[in-house]
Amino acid sequence: MHDELSETHIVGDDTHQQIVRAEDCPLLARRLVSHVGVGDAAPPYKVVRTNLSGAYLHACLGGEGRMLLDGRWRPHRAGMVTLAPAHVLHAFHAVQNKRWQYCWVRYMPQSPRSAIEGMTPLITRVDPKPLSDAILGLYHEVNSGGDIAATALWIDLIEHYVKRYTEPLRNEERLSKLWAEVTADLGHPWTLDQLAVIAGISGEHLRRLCQTRLGRSPMQQLTYLRVQQAAQVLATTDKRVEDVAFEVGYQNPFAFSNAFKRMTGFRPSRFQRRRTPAAARRG
């Protein structure tokens, strides 16, 4: 993962993007959205964000790219929506000899979407074209004068589809109850059997359900929640790494450090040293 530790933004002449940024659209800024866009990429297109400050939704419309999530490279193909949380290493790139069509929504750090519970699943499979159409509608509206009422409607539509993609648990009460209880007490030494009891189903059923709804196993989801909480604390406070590890359920600081590096790209101590002065002041 060493090559991913440098901030990178390479677009290239053969990549085309239509982007609406918050600075050009005050209504987008009010929704705490940093930018949205639709793209058609080819190599050498490559983006590496070593500290993703706000959550990022990326949907593939066609072709194929690669996305780094939870510390692993994953193919990004048509119908896949990936959800990258804040405070992690985030990277994606076009694949040699292939084009990649996609759309995205990037949230500001202060958005509720950038909170731990704001975007839960890793990968979901849906039809992202309606989201793409809404983003293009906003793009054309902003670039043709920006009627306020029409602009607001396009943003409402974008938010509608983001909500649909990012809240797979809203109709799954068992998982919703389970992860709410776990998030409230991440320091507890949770086991798969305990998680299954809270959900009221067998361990195997819970595993299948989490894999389908979240793109992770139950224990992977637990690790994700713990690392996300730890990243949030390390990014905004001066707490010692050992204390943060204990708070989120790790008795062994070395095990915590390994899990944290796998998901964020950095050891906890180095991650904390990278905080901006503004973040330190907020802590």
Side-chain angles (χ1 to χ4, degrees):
M1 194 181 291
H2 183 73
D3 291 344
E4 277 69 58
L5 296 184
S6 298
E7 196 79 13
T8 304
H9 193 154
I10 300 171
V11 176
D13 295 335
D14 203 21
T15 291
H16 312 285
Q17 299 183 118
Q18 295 165 293
I19 306 172
V20 182
R21 303 184 184 278
E23 52 264 37
D24 301 318
C25 180
L27 290 181
L28 202 61
R30 289 180 194 173
R31 301 293 185 91
L32 302 180
V33 177
S34 177
H35 49 81
V36 300
V38 176
D40 182 359
Y45 180 66
K46 180 180 180 180
V47 175
V48 178
R49 296 187 179 94
T50 56
N51 187 7
L52 184 64
S53 58
Y56 193 106
L57 180 146
H58 205 289
C60 182
L61 300 162
E64 182 177 341
R66 288 288 185 276
M67 184 82 58
L68 183 67
L69 290 165
D70 280 9
R72 292 196 292 132
W73 282 104
R74 301 166 185 262
H76 206 247
R77 302 188 180 104
M80 297 177 67
V81 176
T82 55
L83 307 168
H87 307 301
V88 301
L89 177 67
H90 183 224
F92 47 89
H93 61 82
V95 178
Q96 195 66 36
N97 300 319
K98 294 184 179 181
R99 297 205 66 88
W100 184 25
Q101 296 81 39
Y102 52 85
C103 61
W104 75 86
V105 180
R106 168 80 179 270
Y107 285 89
M108 296 179 182
Q110 62 270 38
S111 168
R113 293 282 178 203
S114 297
I116 296 171
E117 66 277 7
M119 287 192 174
T120 302
L122 173 65
I123 297 176
T124 187
R125 287 171 173 79
V126 297
D127 177 10
K129 190 174 185 304
L131 174 61
S132 172
D133 290 344
I135 293 172
L136 288 175
L138 177 65
Y139 174 84
H140 291 300
E141 188 62 47
V142 169
N143 284 278
S144 64
D147 176 79
I148 293 178
T151 298
L153 288 173
W154 285 121
I155 296 174
D156 284 343
L157 199 53
I158 291 170
E159 288 280 66
H160 169 80
Y161 287 116
V162 169
K163 183 175 182 180
R164 177 186 292 183
Y165 301 157
T166 61
E167 298 180 10
L169 305 185
R170 66 188 186 280
N171 295 323
E172 185 54 71
E173 185 176 349
R174 292 169 296 186
L175 291 186
S176 180
K177 174 187 173 184
L178 166 62
W179 295 117
E181 188 164 332
V182 169
T183 300
D185 189 11
L186 288 172
H188 183 82
W190 297 104
T191 65
L192 179 60
D193 288 342
Q194 289 174 329
L195 299 179
V197 168
I198 295 173
I201 54 181
S202 70
E204 180 57 25
H205 189 186
L206 177 61
R207 186 193 66 78
R208 289 196 302 268
L209 198 57
C210 286
Q211 201 66 52
T212 299
R213 297 286 189 174
L214 303 174
R216 300 182 179 95
S217 71
M219 301 312 288
Q220 286 172 336
Q221 176 67 7
L222 175 61
T223 299
Y224 163 81
L225 292 172
R226 284 172 165 166
V227 170
Q228 276 304 104
Q229 175 66 27
Q232 179 74 21
V233 173
L234 291 172
T236 57
T237 76
D238 293 318
K239 287 188 177 182
R240 296 193 314 156
V241 170
E242 294 81 358
D243 294 335
V244 175
F246 181 77
E247 284 180 13
V248 299
Y250 285 90
Q251 304 299 316
N252 184 331
F254 185 70
F256 167 68
S257 181
N258 285 341
F260 193 92
K261 185 176 188 299
R262 186 173 66 251
M263 291 188 63
T264 69
F266 296 90
R267 294 291 178 186
S269 56
R270 184 179 174 190
F271 180 91
Q272 191 172 46
R273 288 198 300 269
R274 292 165 59 250
R275 289 188 306 155
T276 63
R281 286 194 297 271
R282 286 195 301 270

